[in-house]
Short mmCIF file of all heavy atoms in Angstrom, two decimals:
data_model
loop_
_atom_site.label_atom_id
_atom_site.label_comp_id
_atom_site.label_asym_id
_atom_site.label_seq_id
_atom_site.Cartn_x
_atom_site.Cartn_y
_atom_site.Cartn_z
N HIS A 164 20.92 -3.40 29.55
CA HIS A 164 19.61 -3.18 29.82
C HIS A 164 18.62 -4.14 28.91
O HIS A 164 19.01 -4.46 27.93
CB HIS A 164 19.14 -1.71 29.49
CG HIS A 164 19.93 -0.79 30.29
ND1 HIS A 164 20.01 -0.63 31.60
CD2 HIS A 164 20.63 0.28 29.80
CE1 HIS A 164 20.80 0.26 31.96
NE2 HIS A 164 21.23 0.94 30.85
N ILE A 253 1.55 -9.97 13.38
CA ILE A 253 0.05 -9.78 13.57
C ILE A 253 -0.44 -10.34 14.98
O ILE A 253 -1.18 -9.71 15.69
CB ILE A 253 -0.76 -10.49 12.53
CG1 ILE A 253 -0.49 -9.81 11.12
CG2 ILE A 253 -2.18 -10.49 12.74
CD1 ILE A 253 -0.99 -10.48 9.94
N ALA A 321 -7.81 1.69 16.21
CA ALA A 321 -6.90 1.91 17.37
C ALA A 321 -5.96 3.15 17.21
O ALA A 321 -5.72 3.91 18.12
CB ALA A 321 -6.07 0.63 17.54
#
Side-chain angles (χ1 to χ4, degrees):
H164 303 302
I253 293 171

